[in-house]
Amino acid sequence: MLKRIIENISLQHFGGIGNDDQSLTGSCHNLIVEYMDGTETSIIVDMGAFQGLGQDLNPSLPFDADKIHAVIITHGHIDHCGRLPMLFNQKKPFHGDVYASELTKKVAHTALLDSAKIFATEYEKEKRKYDKFIEECKEARRTVANYEATGVKRDAGGNRNENHDARPSKEAYDVAKKLLREQGITREQDIYTKIQKPLLPIFTSDDVETAVQGTIEVEFSEEKKLHWQEICPEVSFSLWNAGHVAGSASVLFRIAAGKAKMKYYFFSGDLGPARTPIHPFGLAEVPNLPIDMVVMETTYGDKVRTEFDVGYREFEESVIKASTTRDRLIIPSFALDRAQMILFLLVKMRKEGKFQGKIFLDSPLATVYTDLYQQHGVLGSGMDELKSMAKTFSLIDATTREGVLAEEDFKIIVTSSGMATGGPIMTHLLKYLADIRTTFFFMGYMAEGTLGRDLTDEIKPKKLVRLPDVEYPIEVLARVKRFNFLSGHMDQKDLWEWYKKLHLRPGARVVLVHGERDSSTLAFKHFLGRRKIDYVAHKGITIPEVDKILVPDVNQIYSVF
Ligand SMILES: [Zn+2]
């Protein structure tokens, strides 16, 4: 097929960018290739869901699904794939192909089914509330009507009916009247038009199956084994290990930009740290090809983390202390990647004789992922240990939890969710937060508004907390601690090492995303600027002029041709 002549290439970011929780999650980038003949190819990299404060943005897609030609998912975290199923339930649905690595497809399948289940449960809860409120409003109308009924009622014999029992009290009338006034209800049909119905879930498990079953698996490329996947005659791409979570990829586009001239655009996706004890899926890799534009994440563009060893030693000491003074240690964790790391560290510690006790995993989601890590993790750098881990910890669930926790010996329970926003950890908090013989370790960053944050706030940790659906507040008597030494992202030092390996062409653009704009992203931009002065004499490291290091705004569309 004859190649079309490219007139322009532009880029737009719908999420995974910005300055607040609202747009920082929901990673979604659109690469648009426009041709001289008026046609175009529109490719979406990641379709993440907004989390926390940005959740209200989820129900509507920022583009017409039927106008998109291809979607590539870099990895299975919800902020990168959480809206993928919506492509297929739009009025004008998507007709192109979805691409991902084999493991990302597996992880996304599990993660999205979990989302669909949460949405369905949430919807049922809201629907029950709605139905109940509708009944309350109907009852209020009856109360008002009965109270206001005029005329003297007479019984069958024509005598005045003095029975006032049927008439509602003035108090009940006032309450009913107030409710109707607040809701703006004057007629019966207002009840159905003025009260907001609960929103339907943004997708169902059927939509998840449609999206995932149709996803095309793409092999990873290596320096000596390139694997190009064609989207159209002008645009192909290859996947490169991003070292972040199982299946995570960076995406390299190869675009036929002129006679015998290829342009290469590289999207980092989320990049996994280099300085951790195990890399179950290897380290991030970059292609040995000339790059015209790199879109890179800067989650920790402003931070240099303390070496892993320092944090790990503190963790180790705390586990030992808990094992000698307490009955149980409960560790809420992200189900993907983090839970497997924690299990690995605990098993290793126990093997070294640092403590005695049983280790349990209490999380259906983390159980699926752990299985996946054990089946597919690469050997080397500790992975052998992780693979044989099945024999060294036990799984528990809602049916076996009670029995296990009643045992007297010291035990460690790894559970989820990591920030205590739902999942089995809620049961543990309810039962043990007020127990002085229990320790809770929270691992990593805790978002504002989560129970994890309330309990571990550096300035003022809460000593009295409320759990959802529990009517009374709970006093925090258990020991609560937070650790920061495990991270799924590269810090500034790792990002710089990764960047140095890229072969940027003169005049290349660097686009910085996926970090808090004013702190981490701009800090990394300034960092690059300073390195330009230091490294100007070094061959092979290209740092563009400051006007070519871009920190775009959300939804902004700009040419990168
Ligand atoms: Zn991620």
Side-chain angles (χ1 to χ4, degrees):
M1 196 174 153
L2 215 59
K3 285 191 175 74
R4 292 167 285 184
I5 300 166
I6 294 172
E7 189 176 50
N8 188 26
I9 301 175
S10 48
L11 191 57
Q12 188 175 20
H13 313 271
F14 299 116
I17 200 162
N19 218 6
D20 48 45
D21 275 1
Q22 212 171 1
S23 57
L24 254 181
T25 53
S27 270
C28 188
H29 313 285
N30 190 7
L31 183 70
I32 309 149
V33 183
E34 295 163 75
Y35 307 97
M36 291 287 196
D37 64 4
T39 58
E40 64 175 46
T41 304
S42 193
I43 303 154
I44 294 287
V45 178
D46 283 339
M47 276 204 60
F50 293 99
Q51 293 162 311
L53 296 174
Q55 277 183 44
D56 292 348
L57 298 170
N58 284 332
S60 61
L61 288 185
F63 49 77
D64 295 328
D66 62 326
K67 303 245 164 68
I68 302 297
H69 298 87
V71 173
I72 304 166
I73 300 296
T74 62
H75 65 286
H77 272 150
I78 285 300
D79 64 326
H80 289 257
C81 73
R83 292 207 283 175
L84 179 68
M86 290 175 70
L87 281 177
F88 301 91
N89 67 15
Q90 302 295 301
K91 273 204 186 88
K92 289 182 179 172
F94 172 70
H95 296 293
D97 286 316
V98 178
Y99 302 95
S101 71
E102 180 199 352
L103 285 185
T104 290
K105 187 173 162 176
K106 285 195 164 76
V107 171
H109 193 194
T110 306
L112 291 170
L113 281 178
D114 186 60
S115 286
K117 203 167 114 193
I118 293 169
F119 293 153
T121 313
E122 196 58 33
Y123 175 74
E124 284 307 320
K125 203 168 131 192
E126 290 301 313
K127 180 76 172 48
R128 275 197 299 276
K129 260 203 252 169
Y130 169 80
D131 290 344
K132 195 169 157 234
F133 193 56
I134 292 284
E135 286 311 314
E136 276 171 34
C137 290
K138 282 187 188 166
E139 182 58 33
R141 270 185 56 78
R142 278 194 290 273
T143 304
V144 169
N146 283 342
Y147 186 88
E148 289 175 351
T150 52
V152 178
K153 294 200 175 81
R154 293 184 186 274
D155 64 18
N159 303 313
R160 273 173 87 100
N161 187 348
E162 297 296 340
N163 180 7
H164 286 279
D165 288 354
R167 200 183 192 211
S169 68
K170 172 80 168 69
E171 218 173 18
Y173 169 76
D174 287 344
V175 170
K177 193 89 181 146
K178 185 166 172 257
L179 175 71
L180 296 176
R181 196 171 47 241
E182 278 169 2
Q183 300 301 322
I185 295 166
T186 49
R187 300 163 307 168
E188 181 78 11
Q189 64 257 46
D190 290 344
I191 294 179
Y192 302 99
T193 54
K194 297 206 170 167
I195 297 169
Q196 175 93 45
K197 283 199 179 90
L199 288 178
L200 283 170
I202 55 172
F203 58 79
T204 63
S205 51
D206 285 348
D207 298 327
V208 173
E209 294 303 339
T210 309
V212 176
Q213 301 310 340
T215 296
I216 297 170
E217 289 174 17
V218 179
E219 265 178 55
F220 277 105
S221 286
E222 289 164 25
E223 196 181 326
K224 292 196 174 68
K225 204 178 79 189
L226 286 161
H227 179 91
W228 292 105
Q229 174 71 46
E230 187 180 290
I231 291 174
C232 60
E234 299 80 10
V235 185
S236 305
F237 73 92
S238 55
L239 296 184
W240 297 77
N241 192 358
H244 175 57
V245 295
S248 66
S250 302
V251 185
L252 178 69
F253 288 98
R254 182 181 67 181
I255 304 173
K259 243 188 184 167
K261 183 168 186 222
M262 290 294 173
K263 281 203 165 204
Y264 295 97
Y265 290 8
F266 195 39
F267 288 66
S268 73
D270 285 0
L271 295 167
R275 309 189 317 277
T276 50
I278 50 167
H279 302 97
F281 296 93
L283 290 164
E285 288 178 29
V286 301
N288 189 12
L289 285 163
I291 306 287
D292 294 280
M293 176 186 78
V294 58
V295 178
M296 71 183 285
E297 72 123 315
T298 55
T299 311
Y300 293 117
D302 57 337
K303 287 189 183 64
V304 177
R305 267 193 302 273
T306 47
E307 294 298 331
F308 170 83
D309 297 350
V310 179
Y312 175 62
R313 256 199 309 281
E314 195 198 341
F315 177 73
E316 195 177 75
E317 280 161 18
S318 302
V319 172
I320 294 167
K321 191 173 164 203
S323 73
T324 51
T325 59
R326 308 275 160 141
D327 289 347
R328 63 194 69 77
L329 166 59
I330 299 171
I331 309 181
S333 159
F334 296 142
L336 176 62
D337 204 63
R338 183 72 50 88
Q340 291 75 44
M341 296 294 161
I342 295 168
L343 283 173
F344 166 78
L345 294 174
L346 292 172
V347 168
K348 179 170 167 278
M349 248 181 238
R350 190 179 55 186
K351 202 174 155 197
E352 291 165 358
K354 302 275 166 59
F355 73 91
Q356 286 185 329
K358 286 183 186 159
I359 302 167
F360 297 96
L361 179 61
D362 182 8
S363 159
L365 206 54
T367 302
V368 176
Y369 293 139
T370 304
D371 199 38
L372 195 127
Y373 270 61
Q374 288 174 329
Q375 276 179 40
H376 298 275
V378 292
L379 289 172
S381 37
M383 199 52 214
D384 313 41
E385 194 89 24
L386 192 68
K387 274 183 179 284
S388 63
M389 225 164 53
K391 298 175 220 92
T392 50
F393 68 89
S394 316
L395 302 172
I396 50 173
D397 57 28
T399 55
T400 52
R401 194 179 290 138
E402 284 287 315
V404 163
L405 290 170
E407 287 173 20
E408 280 192 355
D409 305 336
F410 172 70
K411 61 201 84 63
I412 302 178
I413 297 118
V414 178
T415 182
S416 62
S417 72
M419 297 190 200
T421 50
I425 180 62
M426 305 315 276
T427 310
H428 293 294
L429 287 171
L430 179 61
K431 191 145 191 215
Y432 294 111
L433 211 42
D435 180 313
I436 52 163
R437 299 199 58 82
T438 300
T439 307
F440 287 93
F441 285 174
F442 285 81
M443 309 296 285
Y445 171 76
M446 297 290 130
E448 205 151 336
T450 62
L451 204 52
R453 174 68 160 261
D454 286 350
L455 288 165
T456 62
D457 193 276
E458 273 167 29
I459 300 161
K460 207 165 176 256
K462 281 198 179 159
K463 287 290 161 206
L464 203 63
V465 294
R466 295 201 85 101
L467 301 180
D469 303 323
V470 178
E471 278 168 17
Y472 50 91
I474 296 173
E475 191 180 2
V476 182
L477 296 176
R479 189 161 171 265
V480 180
K481 214 168 150 50
R482 186 162 73 91
F483 293 92
N484 255 337
F485 67 101
L486 286 178
S487 173
H489 289 269
M490 288 188 170
D491 67 354
Q492 192 184 65
K493 202 168 159 185
D494 287 339
L495 287 170
W496 172 234
E497 290 304 318
W498 183 85
Y499 178 93
K500 281 198 289 186
K501 288 185 204 140
L502 298 172
H503 305 285
L504 293 184
R505 273 194 175 128
R509 286 181 182 81
V510 176
V511 180
L512 303 177
V513 298
H514 207 282
E516 222 155 272
R517 184 198 167 97
D518 288 350
S519 48
S520 46
T521 306
L522 285 177
F524 196 70
K525 179 176 171 154
H526 296 144
F527 172 86
L528 284 181
R530 286 197 302 278
R531 288 300 167 284
K532 187 171 177 62
I533 300 162
D534 299 346
Y535 279 82
V536 77
H538 290 242
K539 265 193 162 174
I541 301 169
T542 306
I543 299 176
E545 292 302 327
V546 72
D547 63 335
K548 288 278 174 73
I549 305 176
L550 311 174
V551 180
D553 285 325
V554 71
N555 294 333
Q556 180 194 347
I557 184 162
Y558 55 100
S559 175
V560 290
F561 192 40

